[in-house]
Amino acid sequence: GQQVMQIPQYQHVQEGEDFTTYCNSSTTLSNIQWYKQRPGGHPVFLIQLVKSGEVKKQKRLTFQFGEAKKNSSLHITATQTTDVGTYFCAGESSGSRLTFGEGTQLTVNP
Amino acid sequence: EPEVTQTPSHQVTQMGQEVILRCVPISNHLYFYWYRQILGQKVEFLVSFYNNEISEKSEIFDDQFSVERPDGSNFTLKIRSTKLEDSAMYFCASSLTSQYNEQFFGPGTRLTVL
């Protein structure tokens, strides 16, 4: 079955440093979504990427979808303590099932 | 802002007992989902539901699990005979359409099987 791998599992940064998490799917995706889960919370939708090579920005967050539609990345510039949480990528290939990656847990030291 | 709600927030049960987890999806959404997340692990898809029937289910969703939309608002997940390994956070989600659509997650029900 479809697998979505995500690295790194953990990332500790000083406030102001950049952060990147990478996602790789075993199969070509129709779209990829990114979610953020705060400690003790539920996944909250951040963005969806559909087109090959697509790049989207949300303030300090930059999302990329690979040309082959099998990989993606999320980059945060100048992290803040409010960025703390686990970032999950979730891929859709067919149907409506989302296959989540293992997530990257980000901690930010003030 | 509309949101998905889930009850109860925490359910403790004995192994072998039946549990029903309840969800109220966003009112104009047509697709409903259940996911589970074992503590510290990733979110895993269980089942999707559309037009009063299951549209897709995972290997985890075996005969012990069932879903139902008993009325126009509730969406339930039943586990017939709980096992220790069913202990997890169960998230309900809904979306307006199927593919290419943001899924809105509820706050989750933490199920503890003793």
Side-chain angles (χ1 to χ4, degrees), chain B residues 94-108:
Chain B
S94 69
S95 64
L96 192 56
T97 62
S98 58
Q99 269 194 318
Y100 306 103
N101 220 247
E102 168 185 357
Q103 293 187 18
F104 291 79
F105 282 73

Side-chain angles (χ1 to χ4, degrees), chain B residues 11-21 64-65 77-87 90 111-114:
Chain B
Q11 175 88 53
V12 181
T13 190
Q14 295 290 326
M15 190 169 56
Q17 295 296 304
E18 174 184 288
V19 294
I20 297 176
L21 310 183
Q64 292 298 313
F65 292 88
L77 173 70
K78 182 193 290 187
I79 308 175
R80 260 180 275 283
S81 177
T82 49
K83 303 188 280 284
L84 295 176
E85 53 265 37
D86 293 327
S87 294
Y90 288 82
L111 176 65
T112 302
V113 182
L114 302 176

Side-chain angles (χ1 to χ4, degrees), chain A residues 8-15 17-20 79 84-85 104-110:
Chain A
Q9 190 175 1
Y10 303 97
Q11 185 79 61
H12 310 282
V13 299
Q14 287 294 127
E15 191 172 20
E17 290 182 340
D18 293 356
F19 158 76
T20 305
T79 54
V84 163
T104 296
Q105 188 176 321
L106 172 66
T107 54
V108 180
N109 298 320

Side-chain angles (χ1 to χ4, degrees), chain B residues 27-76:
Chain B
S27 61
N28 64 333
H29 284 187
L30 301 176
Y31 290 81
F32 316 117
Y33 314 85
W34 283 101
Y35 292 86
R36 80 171 185 192
Q37 185 177 33
I38 295 169
L39 187 64
Q41 297 187 22
K42 66 179 178 181
V43 178
E44 299 176 289
F45 170 81
L46 293 178
V47 66
S48 59
F49 191 86
Y50 169 71
N51 201 25
N52 281 319
E53 59 183 30
I54 291 173
S55 48
E56 198 171 356
K57 60 183 181 179
S58 74
E59 324 56 61
I60 302 168
F61 194 88
D62 61 22
D63 293 343
Q64 292 298 313
F65 292 88
S66 62
V67 289
E68 196 176 40
R69 188 153 162 83
D71 53 43
S73 59
N74 288 284
F75 178 51
T76 62

Side-chain angles (χ1 to χ4, degrees), chain A residues 45-97:
Chain A
F45 176 84
L46 294 176
I47 209 154
Q48 179 184 85
L49 303 168
V50 178
K51 298 176 186 173
S52 168
E54 189 170 15
V55 178
K56 286 188 176 180
K57 292 192 175 189
Q58 285 179 352
K59 297 182 181 177
R60 295 178 294 103
L61 278 61
T62 302
F63 304 84
Q64 290 190 315
F65 200 11
E67 294 291 337
K69 299 183 74 172
K70 292 180 75 173
N71 55 68
S72 182
S73 65
L74 157 60
H75 180 82
I76 302 178
T77 304
T79 54
Q80 299 174 358
T81 54
T82 52
D83 295 325
V84 163
T86 300
Y87 292 84
F88 291 97
C89 61
E92 261 189 321
S93 51
S94 61
S96 56
R97 168 198 298 228

